[in-house]
Amino acid sequence: MDQELYSKERSASLDLLLRFQRLLVSKLYPADCVGQVPNTYSPDLLGVGSLLKKYTALLCTHIGDILPVATSIACTSHRHFAEVSCVVDGDLTGILLPELVVSIVLLLSKNAGLMQEAGAIPLLAGLLEHLDRFNHLAPGMERDDNEDLAWPGIMGSFFTGQSCRNNEEVTLIRKADLENHNKDGGFWTVIDGKVYDIKDFQTQSLTGSSIL
Protein backbone atom coordinates (compact mmCIF):
# COMPACT_ATOMS: atom_id res chain seq x y z
CA MET A 1 0.00 0.00 0.00
CA ASP A 2 2.94 2.33 0.66
CA GLN A 3 4.11 1.80 -2.92
CA GLU A 4 0.60 2.51 -4.19
CA LEU A 5 0.62 5.91 -2.48
CA TYR A 6 4.18 6.60 -3.60
CA SER A 7 3.55 5.89 -7.30
CA LYS A 8 1.34 8.89 -8.01
CA GLU A 9 2.92 9.42 -11.44
CA ARG A 10 2.06 5.94 -12.71
CA SER A 11 -0.12 6.02 -15.80
CA ALA A 12 -3.75 4.95 -15.65
CA SER A 13 -3.16 2.23 -18.26
CA LEU A 14 -0.28 0.77 -16.26
CA ASP A 15 -2.38 0.84 -13.11
CA LEU A 16 -5.17 -0.94 -14.98
CA LEU A 17 -2.76 -3.65 -16.16
CA LEU A 18 -1.52 -4.17 -12.62
CA ARG A 19 -5.08 -4.54 -11.34
CA PHE A 20 -5.86 -6.99 -14.15
CA GLN A 21 -2.75 -9.00 -13.32
CA ARG A 22 -3.72 -9.19 -9.66
CA LEU A 23 -7.23 -10.23 -10.62
CA LEU A 24 -5.88 -13.14 -12.68
CA VAL A 25 -3.67 -14.28 -9.82
CA SER A 26 -6.50 -14.04 -7.30
CA LYS A 27 -8.76 -16.16 -9.52
CA LEU A 28 -6.07 -18.85 -9.79
CA TYR A 29 -5.20 -18.87 -6.10
CA PRO A 30 -6.61 -22.14 -4.71
CA ALA A 31 -9.53 -21.99 -2.32
CA ASP A 32 -10.26 -24.70 0.21
CA CYS A 33 -12.72 -26.77 -1.80
CA VAL A 34 -14.19 -29.72 0.03
CA GLY A 35 -14.78 -32.80 -2.08
CA GLN A 36 -12.87 -31.59 -5.12
CA VAL A 37 -11.12 -34.34 -7.08
CA PRO A 38 -7.33 -33.78 -7.16
CA ASN A 39 -5.80 -32.63 -10.47
CA THR A 40 -9.20 -31.81 -11.95
CA TYR A 41 -9.89 -28.22 -12.88
CA SER A 42 -13.08 -26.46 -13.90
CA PRO A 43 -13.35 -24.96 -17.41
CA ASP A 44 -13.49 -21.50 -15.83
CA LEU A 45 -10.21 -22.08 -13.99
CA LEU A 46 -8.52 -23.42 -17.13
CA GLY A 47 -9.83 -20.37 -18.99
CA VAL A 48 -8.21 -18.05 -16.47
CA GLY A 49 -4.98 -20.04 -16.79
CA SER A 50 -5.09 -19.64 -20.57
CA LEU A 51 -5.69 -15.92 -20.15
CA LEU A 52 -2.69 -15.69 -17.82
CA LYS A 53 -0.55 -17.38 -20.48
CA LYS A 54 -1.66 -14.90 -23.15
CA TYR A 55 -1.10 -11.97 -20.79
CA THR A 56 2.36 -13.26 -19.86
CA ALA A 57 3.24 -13.74 -23.54
CA LEU A 58 2.31 -10.15 -24.37
CA LEU A 59 4.17 -8.82 -21.35
CA CYS A 60 7.29 -10.85 -22.16
CA THR A 61 7.21 -9.69 -25.78
CA HIS A 62 7.19 -6.05 -24.69
CA ILE A 63 9.92 -6.53 -22.10
CA GLY A 64 11.96 -8.56 -24.58
CA ASP A 65 11.87 -5.55 -26.93
CA ILE A 66 12.66 -3.00 -24.22
CA LEU A 67 15.55 -4.66 -22.37
CA PRO A 68 18.02 -4.99 -25.30
CA VAL A 69 17.59 -1.27 -26.04
CA ALA A 70 17.98 -0.44 -22.36
CA THR A 71 21.13 -2.57 -22.18
CA SER A 72 22.69 -0.91 -25.22
CA ILE A 73 22.21 2.53 -23.66
CA ALA A 74 23.13 1.51 -20.10
CA CYS A 75 26.49 0.04 -21.16
CA THR A 76 27.76 3.54 -22.04
CA SER A 77 28.52 4.56 -18.44
CA HIS A 78 27.39 4.15 -14.83
CA ARG A 79 25.41 7.37 -15.16
CA HIS A 80 23.58 6.03 -18.19
CA PHE A 81 22.87 2.81 -16.31
CA ALA A 82 21.36 4.78 -13.40
CA GLU A 83 19.16 6.84 -15.73
CA VAL A 84 18.00 3.81 -17.72
CA SER A 85 17.31 1.90 -14.49
CA CYS A 86 14.96 4.66 -13.34
CA VAL A 87 13.08 4.48 -16.64
CA VAL A 88 12.87 0.69 -16.57
CA ASP A 89 11.77 0.76 -12.93
CA GLY A 90 8.72 2.81 -13.89
CA ASP A 91 7.94 0.70 -16.95
CA LEU A 92 6.22 -2.68 -17.20
CA THR A 93 9.56 -4.33 -16.44
CA GLY A 94 9.86 -2.71 -13.02
CA ILE A 95 6.20 -2.66 -11.99
CA LEU A 96 4.43 -5.66 -13.48
CA LEU A 97 7.20 -8.23 -13.95
CA PRO A 98 8.52 -8.54 -10.35
CA GLU A 99 5.05 -9.00 -8.89
CA LEU A 100 4.09 -11.44 -11.66
CA VAL A 101 7.16 -13.61 -11.01
CA VAL A 102 6.51 -13.72 -7.27
CA SER A 103 2.83 -14.47 -7.85
CA ILE A 104 3.59 -17.33 -10.24
CA VAL A 105 6.10 -18.82 -7.80
CA LEU A 106 3.42 -18.64 -5.09
CA LEU A 107 0.82 -20.24 -7.35
CA LEU A 108 3.31 -22.91 -8.35
CA SER A 109 3.90 -23.80 -4.71
CA LYS A 110 0.15 -23.99 -4.08
CA ASN A 111 -0.99 -25.77 -7.22
CA ALA A 112 1.84 -26.96 -9.46
CA GLY A 113 -0.45 -29.00 -11.68
CA LEU A 114 -2.62 -26.04 -12.63
CA MET A 115 0.39 -23.84 -13.38
CA GLN A 116 1.92 -26.52 -15.56
CA GLU A 117 -1.41 -26.76 -17.37
CA ALA A 118 -1.52 -22.99 -17.89
CA GLY A 119 1.97 -22.96 -19.45
CA ALA A 120 2.95 -19.42 -18.44
CA ILE A 121 6.22 -20.35 -16.73
CA PRO A 122 8.29 -21.24 -19.84
CA LEU A 123 7.46 -17.83 -21.30
CA LEU A 124 9.21 -16.08 -18.41
CA ALA A 125 12.33 -18.18 -18.94
CA GLY A 126 12.88 -16.37 -22.24
CA LEU A 127 13.56 -13.13 -20.34
CA LEU A 128 16.40 -14.52 -18.23
CA GLU A 129 19.11 -13.82 -20.78
CA HIS A 130 17.93 -10.23 -21.33
CA LEU A 131 17.68 -9.58 -17.59
CA ASP A 132 21.07 -11.14 -16.97
CA ARG A 133 22.78 -8.93 -19.56
CA PHE A 134 21.22 -5.81 -18.10
CA ASN A 135 21.98 -6.72 -14.48
CA HIS A 136 25.63 -7.45 -15.30
CA LEU A 137 26.05 -3.76 -16.13
CA ALA A 138 25.25 -2.75 -12.56
CA PRO A 139 28.15 -1.13 -10.67
CA GLY A 140 29.78 -3.62 -8.30
CA MET A 141 28.61 -6.64 -10.28
CA GLU A 142 32.17 -7.88 -10.81
CA ARG A 143 32.76 -7.87 -7.07
CA ASP A 144 29.57 -9.82 -6.49
CA ASP A 145 30.56 -12.39 -9.12
CA ASN A 146 33.84 -13.02 -7.29
CA GLU A 147 31.94 -14.20 -4.24
CA ASP A 148 31.72 -17.99 -4.20
CA LEU A 149 28.51 -17.93 -2.20
CA ALA A 150 26.15 -15.08 -1.40
CA TRP A 151 25.47 -15.15 2.33
CA PRO A 152 21.66 -15.06 2.77
CA GLY A 153 21.92 -12.50 5.54
CA ILE A 154 23.02 -9.87 3.03
CA MET A 155 19.51 -9.79 1.61
CA GLY A 156 18.12 -8.79 5.00
CA SER A 157 18.93 -5.13 4.36
CA PHE A 158 16.60 -5.08 1.33
CA PHE A 159 13.64 -6.10 3.49
CA THR A 160 14.37 -3.81 6.43
CA GLY A 161 14.29 -0.63 4.38
CA GLN A 162 18.02 0.08 4.34
CA SER A 163 19.48 1.62 1.25
CA CYS A 164 21.37 -0.74 -1.00
CA ARG A 165 24.16 1.84 -1.07
CA ASN A 166 25.03 0.80 2.47
CA ASN A 167 26.25 -2.50 1.10
CA GLU A 168 29.34 -0.72 -0.21
CA GLU A 169 30.33 0.22 3.36
CA VAL A 170 29.71 -3.17 4.99
CA THR A 171 32.20 -6.03 5.14
CA LEU A 172 30.58 -9.06 3.58
CA ILE A 173 31.37 -12.40 5.23
CA ARG A 174 30.69 -15.56 3.27
CA LYS A 175 29.33 -18.67 4.92
CA ALA A 176 32.60 -20.50 4.17
CA ASP A 177 34.57 -17.70 5.88
CA LEU A 178 32.44 -18.03 8.99
CA GLU A 179 32.82 -21.81 9.11
CA ASN A 180 36.59 -21.65 8.62
CA HIS A 181 36.95 -18.99 11.32
CA ASN A 182 35.03 -21.10 13.82
CA LYS A 183 37.08 -24.19 12.95
CA ASP A 184 40.23 -22.23 13.83
CA GLY A 185 38.95 -21.55 17.35
CA GLY A 186 36.90 -18.44 16.73
CA PHE A 187 33.28 -17.96 17.72
CA TRP A 188 31.29 -16.06 15.13
CA THR A 189 27.50 -16.35 15.01
CA VAL A 190 24.79 -14.93 12.74
CA ILE A 191 21.77 -13.07 14.08
CA ASP A 192 19.32 -11.45 11.66
CA GLY A 193 21.86 -11.49 8.85
CA LYS A 194 24.67 -9.85 10.85
CA VAL A 195 27.82 -11.60 12.02
CA TYR A 196 28.82 -11.19 15.67
CA ASP A 197 32.06 -12.23 17.36
CA ILE A 198 31.05 -13.62 20.78
CA LYS A 199 34.42 -15.19 21.65
CA ASP A 200 35.01 -12.83 24.59
CA PHE A 201 31.48 -13.34 25.86
CA GLN A 202 31.99 -17.10 25.77
CA THR A 203 34.62 -16.96 28.53
CA GLN A 204 32.38 -14.84 30.75
CA SER A 205 29.14 -16.72 30.15
CA LEU A 206 27.81 -19.04 32.85
CA THR A 207 25.60 -20.93 30.40
CA GLY A 208 28.35 -22.80 28.57
CA SER A 209 29.17 -23.07 24.88
CA SER A 210 26.35 -25.45 24.01
CA ILE A 211 23.63 -22.85 24.62
CA LEU A 212 25.62 -20.16 22.84
Side-chain angles (χ1 to χ4, degrees):
M1 295 304 296
D2 292 339
Q3 290 183 349
E4 295 292 333
L5 296 174
Y6 179 75
S7 304
K8 292 295 184 181
E9 299 180 359
R10 192 166 62 207
S11 67
S13 58
L14 193 56
D15 187 65
L16 184 63
L17 282 173
L18 182 60
R19 291 173 182 270
F20 175 72
Q21 177 176 297
R22 290 173 176 173
L23 179 63
L24 286 177
V25 172
S26 67
K27 292 294 184 182
L28 289 170
Y29 193 83
D32 295 329
C33 299
V34 179
Q36 182 176 351
V37 180
N39 299 324
T40 58
Y41 311 109
S42 66
D44 290 343
L45 202 58
L46 292 175
V48 176
S50 177
L51 195 57
L52 176 65
K53 181 180 179 179
K54 293 179 181 178
Y55 169 81
T56 305
L58 291 172
L59 182 64
C60 290
T61 299
H62 172 80
I63 296 175
D65 292 338
I66 292 295
L67 281 179
V69 179
T71 302
S72 64
I73 299 173
C75 68
T76 308
S77 67
H78 291 334
R79 180 179 178 182
H80 283 80
F81 178 84
E83 293 292 339
V84 171
S85 296
C86 290
V87 175
V88 171
D89 192 48
D91 187 59
L92 304 183
T93 310
I95 295 177
L96 300 181
L97 181 62
E99 187 171 313
L100 178 64
V101 171
V102 173
S103 299
I104 287 182
V105 170
L106 176 63
L107 290 171
L108 187 62
S109 67
K110 293 291 185 180
N111 197 334
L114 177 60
M115 294 310 297
Q116 294 292 342
E117 191 80 22
I121 298 174
L123 299 173
L124 292 170
L127 295 178
L128 291 177
E129 186 176 351
H130 295 304
L131 290 167
D132 197 47
R133 287 178 182 173
F134 183 79
N135 289 333
H136 268 78
L137 298 175
M141 189 65 193
E142 294 180 0
R143 181 204 64 216
D144 294 339
D145 280 348
N146 290 331
E147 294 289 335
D148 294 334
L149 182 67
W151 185 234
I154 296 173
M155 295 303 296
S157 61
F158 291 95
F159 300 103
T160 54
Q162 297 180 9
S163 172
C164 59
R165 289 178 302 209
N166 292 340
N167 290 340
E168 300 288 345
E169 306 165 2
V170 176
T171 301
L172 304 182
I173 298 175
R174 296 175 301 174
K175 185 177 181 181
D177 296 333
L178 183 141
E179 292 174 349
N180 290 333
H181 179 82
N182 289 347
K183 287 179 182 177
D184 294 336
F187 208 149
W188 286 354
T189 187
V190 180
I191 302 174
D192 293 334
K194 296 181 176 62
V195 178
Y196 295 90
D197 187 351
I198 59 173
K199 180 69 175 178
D200 294 339
F201 181 74
Q202 178 188 13
T203 59
Q204 304 172 12
S205 173
L206 301 177
T207 60
S209 299
S210 59
I211 295 180
L212 289 178

